[in-house]
Amino acid sequence: MIHNKSKYFQIIGLVLLSMIVTTSCEREVSDAAVLATFPTTADVFTDNPVGLTDEFFISFDPVEGANVNGFDTDESEAYEGFASIRIDVPSPNDPDGGFIGGIFRDRGEGRNLTGYDALTFWAKASTTGVLGEAGFGTDFDGDKFRTVAADLQLSTNWKKYVIPMPDPSKLTQERGMFVFSAGTQSTDGLGFVIWLDEIKFEKLGTIAQPRPAIQNGEDVVIQNFIGGTVNISGLSQTFNTAAQGDVTVNAALAYFEFQSSNETVATVSALGQVNVVGGGTATITASLGVNEAQGSLTIESLGNFTPAPTPTRNPNNVISIFSDAYQNVAVDYYNGFFTGDGQTTLGGEGPGGADLSVDGDGIINYTNLNFVGIGTFMDVPTIDATSMTHIHVDLNINEALNAGDNITLQILNDVGGNETSGSVTITAANLAANDWRGFDIPLANFTGLSNRSQLGLLFFISNSISNVYVDNIYYYIEQ
Amino acid sequence: MKTIHSKNKLRLAPYNLALILGAILIVTSCDLDETQEVTTLNNLVMSDEFDVDGAPDSNMWGYDVGDGTNEGIPGWGNNELQYYTDRPENVTVENGVLIITAKEESFEGKGYTSARLTSQDLFEQQYGRFEARIRVPFGKGYWPAFWLLGVPKTITVDHEEVLEEWPAIGEIDIMEYLGDEPTNVFGTLHGPGFSGAESISKEFTLENDRFDTGFHVFGIEWSPTSVNFYVDGNIYQTLTREDVAEETDGEGEWVFDRPFYIILNVAIGGNLPGNPTENTVFPQSMIVDYVRVYN
């Protein structure tokens, strides 16, 4: 211990020295160069909004279903003082919007929150329900330090909630003072009321044991190609709190620093975008402050990727489901995950359905294929392909191909209504392993598809092919 | 041995409040000149500063090994889940500190391993000031402790000479801590008529700080008339012979006039802390900077 203590004193000495140096420097710096520091106001809402914009509550986009009418203050309920915030959570079929949520924004240029370690607030509800999301850092202007906890269980009594800051030192100028969203998933669609009070930033001193994670804490391995891009996801920070045990928040990319084990294979940007630049293997890891994040993303780069030929048909003659050459129609999903019906297929899960993005070209990679559906019948308009004559698809079998292997396309019209369907099977002779083959199939060949004015599902079905790249799925008019 | 703890029995008789308030006032008034009325005994008679790397000093520390079965109390009387070993992965001295590490592993039929050091037969003392500087782990299921047990006397039962058993020997828990309450510790006396669930105990809560993020000093000052419990120079509980009598309606027996020995351990799970959850982080260690005894 004697050794340790003397080290201590050395460190203290250094610190003192650096303070002296810093102090003397500060005297020499001109006024103009002094960094602006922003207010450190702690309160966000007490009985009134504190230092927030005039509109106070800024809703999520009503176009996306946010209900702007359910937000108010309530002078008949308060945890402390005389007023609280009242949130009327709408039912999903409310014509004014099926959920409620939005932000409170600092009315100035932002606050310096580096002296705090948590956002805290008190909440209760008219019934035991769930507050879908609550946090800070969403300012509708980049949301750089978005920090939210999900699924906070509310009780009918006032209870304090703690949203730990992933790294307070980064929050030198934050405008996103509070964000929440709530729906009725926890109440079987029944509307209920949430009250919030005493929203503020605090230095609790009891937020400890940080355990950041990327990729949801898992060591994920994916295959990709030169030119491919992948985004790091599943970012979180977990703290132990005195009152609530472990609390995990979703933490924005900007809190993390990323590192590649081999920059000749893959580089990673400050915002977690991985670019595959060579063949080989590279592992992306991250840290948040001094803590290494659990989880990693390993890229096995298979080298150069040959994309499917770029479609050249006139867009006016095309209804595109999945292609970078055209404007795609809205789809419900590129994988319906009919797991209850025995579906094993993975893939179709990335942005816009693309599991891979190589040089900006998105590609679906279905794996463990038995069957998988692309849906256009639930929350999006069905496809009227009455005037179309063909369907096009490019397939690249990503495994050894055997004689007898085949893959079937099935198209369904008016799903769940006056349903009709037809299918066409593509055999091994027309497919290729590790190479693209394009198919232009007359819709007339889909025997049984007597009507195609409301196409709702396109299935890929195979009991012999497990792993396939898919690109450029579109209906067209043969000219 | 430490048996049948029950947290809801942690309590303090109201008449002790006055004493504690008094103690707090003294501490407050002494803050400026550094003379702490908290402790009055300053003649160091034993200290282990844990300055030599390797196994703990064998002149000072032995080990309780196993799950308590050999002692006739499987699970150490509390349904604890660990198997204590003397292996370096469970107990070692490194960089000036003693490290007792609890691991999640299958070992001798148990799911966790840990260590329990005891100074029995090596260092035993009656009265004095016992103090250690410790950092504890966190998470549901962790139950580290710094405590004392009385040396059993030989007594005659049915014309046979036998050793006294707990709680007749007495127990002074200088520091106990539950990993899911990282701001709390508690100090406790056990004896005949006030053991286990009926023990006399009090919690100390840190404000704006926690016990798992830094070292804190835990101690007692023990005289023929009382035991003072303190944390970082704050007395939070004083228990006198009269307190024991009043707490137990005269049934309790003051058994703290005999030598006691020191125990340092990290228990996992069982009746008092509850069992670890999937979120409990393993391995973690209790880190002891020093143990010092004064008279």
Side-chain angles (χ1 to χ4, degrees), chain A residues 1 4 204 206 208-209 211 240, chain B residues 51 95-96 208 210 212 289:
Chain A
M1 281 319 294
N4 281 3
L204 296 172
T206 53
Q209 309 291 1
R211 281 155 284 159
N240 189 257
Chain B
D51 278 342
N95 301 320
N208 307 320
R210 311 162 45 114
D212 60 332
D289 181 14

Side-chain angles (χ1 to χ4, degrees), chain B residues 103-232:
Chain B
K103 299 179 71 175
E104 186 173 16
E105 60 177 334
S106 285
F107 193 88
E108 298 287 337
K110 308 295 277 188
Y112 301 88
T113 57
S114 182
R116 170 158 145 165
L117 276 66
T118 157
S119 72
Q120 187 169 20
D121 299 330
L122 297 168
F123 179 83
E124 296 169 344
Q125 177 171 305
Q126 180 170 335
Y127 310 134
R129 171 178 157 208
F130 293 69
E131 186 178 277
R133 187 165 178 265
I134 297 173
R135 198 183 91 187
V136 289
F138 81 102
K140 182 80 172 167
Y142 277 101
W143 180 16
F146 167 42
W147 52 300
L148 310 181
L149 277 178
V151 176
K153 295 172 187 162
T154 305
I155 54 171
T156 305
V157 176
D158 294 337
H159 309 291
E160 270 190 67
E161 290 201 334
V162 294
L163 281 178
E164 282 176 318
E165 291 187 352
W166 188 92
I169 55 174
E171 174 178 328
I172 303 173
D173 301 325
I174 302 173
M175 182 281 291
E176 290 185 273
Y177 160 95
L178 306 179
D180 59 345
E181 296 179 25
T183 60
N184 294 341
V185 292
F186 48 101
T188 308
L189 291 186
H190 301 255
F194 55 103
S195 65
E198 307 301 325
S199 60
I200 305 171
S201 185
K202 187 168 190 263
E203 253 182 9
F204 175 83
T205 300
L206 272 185
E207 296 299 327
N208 307 320
D209 197 3
R210 311 162 45 114
F211 288 107
D212 60 332
T213 52
F215 285 95
H216 295 271
V217 175
F218 305 98
I220 56 157
E221 202 160 79
W222 164 32
S223 74
T225 56
S226 67
V227 180
N228 287 346
F229 294 79
Y230 62 90
V231 174
D232 297 330

Side-chain angles (χ1 to χ4, degrees), chain B residues 98-102 134-137 144-146 175 263-266 284-288:
Chain B
L98 168 70
I99 303 169
I100 299 176
T101 302
I134 297 173
R135 198 183 91 187
V136 289
F146 167 42
M175 182 281 291
I263 300 173
L264 288 162
N265 72 301
V266 177
Q284 283 187 76
S285 304
M286 172 164 86
I287 303 172
V288 185

